[in-house]
Amino acid sequence: MDKLMRLVVAAVFGIVVIGCSATAKKMTIESRTERTDVFKEVTGGDPIPTGYGDVVIRGNIKTHLGGYYIGESKESVHGKESYPFLVNIDGQAALWSVPGVRDSKPAYDKDGKTSRDPEAREGMKYILEKKIRLAAGSHKVFFGLPADNYFIEADITVQNGETTVIEYKPVYRYKTMPTRIPTFLKGFSRYEIYLNGNKS
């Protein structure tokens, strides 16, 4: 039985390593820009030209402050001044480095119970918001966190003359003791995608 357990653990570890390797390879591929004519960043309030639509990309993540974990690599961007978000749409890539803001929320609610807010306690929050202009039609959006070896992809349809909002809401890992509560201090798990306020 002990031998069988070791084989199972080894197999699971192998799958995790292969998964991480595949994610890193995908991240490297998507960070390359093959085209430069897919989208452009929009900063003003100029009208949308015919045949185009605007897309607002929103995403955020909260991390622990630097030095929170003993032995964490000095190369880690968690808790540092900025955090990178990678976007690739139809072959055009952009790496946006977002400044961090120290964020503190109460660890306990008004009844003295442990807060169920996954972003409770002190950490560093990074908030991305960019508006880009795309040709009307269907597009594939790659959204990645190079620092956390994570990505998610979505297909969107841009309507002529309209603005589409795609929002990435973070889901954090769980603290298991004494209660199962998600917390950013245990690390990032995944994103949920919302298109124009509706969960995709």
Side-chain angles (χ1 to χ4, degrees):
M1 187 69 173
D2 187 41
K3 184 178 180 181
L4 177 62
M5 185 59 71
R6 284 199 305 270
L7 287 172
V8 170
V9 170
V12 170
F13 179 72
I15 291 167
V16 170
V17 170
I18 290 167
C20 289
S21 174
T23 301
K25 185 177 180 181
K26 177 76 170 173
M27 202 75 69
T28 300
I29 291 169
E30 296 295 336
S31 66
R32 299 180 190 137
T33 290
E34 297 172 353
R35 298 176 60 184
T36 58
D37 61 342
V38 177
F39 66 85
K40 69 173 185 176
E41 195 171 336
V42 179
T43 54
D46 54 317
I48 302 171
T50 302
Y52 289 84
D54 285 350
V55 175
V56 176
I57 300 173
R58 293 179 182 148
N60 70 82
I61 188 170
K62 185 170 180 178
T63 73
H64 56 271
L65 297 175
Y68 182 81
Y69 289 112
I70 296 171
E72 183 175 28
S73 169
K74 291 181 180 178
E75 303 300 315
S76 171
V77 299
H78 295 156
K80 301 289 175 60
E81 289 182 2
S82 62
Y83 185 92
F85 293 86
L86 174 65
V87 171
N88 187 314
I89 303 176
D90 300 342
Q92 181 175 340
L95 185 65
W96 289 313
S97 191
V98 174
V101 177
R102 209 172 176 110
D103 183 71
S104 184
K105 291 184 178 178
Y108 300 94
D109 62 24
K110 59 184 179 181
D111 298 323
K113 295 180 181 178
T114 301
S115 174
R116 299 197 71 83
D117 183 343
E119 294 191 348
R121 296 179 171 73
E122 190 170 22
M124 191 72 82
K125 189 153 187 179
Y126 306 89
I127 301 172
L128 170 75
E129 180 158 343
K130 295 284 186 179
K131 182 190 280 189
I132 59 173
R133 186 153 292 161
L134 284 158
S138 299
H139 300 276
K140 182 176 284 295
V141 181
F142 172 97
F143 188 85
L145 305 180
D148 281 274
N149 208 27
Y150 172 87
F151 71 87
I152 189 168
E153 295 178 298
D155 293 313
I156 64 169
T157 300
V158 176
Q159 302 296 331
N160 182 35
E162 296 184 12
T163 297
T164 301
V165 178
I166 182 168
E167 186 171 4
Y168 298 87
K169 295 186 179 182
V171 176
Y172 299 102
R173 294 192 179 103
Y174 284 90
K175 175 178 69 174
T176 54
M177 296 297 288
T179 55
R180 189 172 162 79
I181 299 173
T183 172
F184 76 95
L185 292 171
K186 287 295 182 182
F188 171 83
S189 176
R190 69 184 191 281
Y191 276 117
E192 292 179 339
I193 301 177
Y194 288 76
L195 283 173
N196 295 325
N198 300 310
K199 189 174 178 180
S200 180

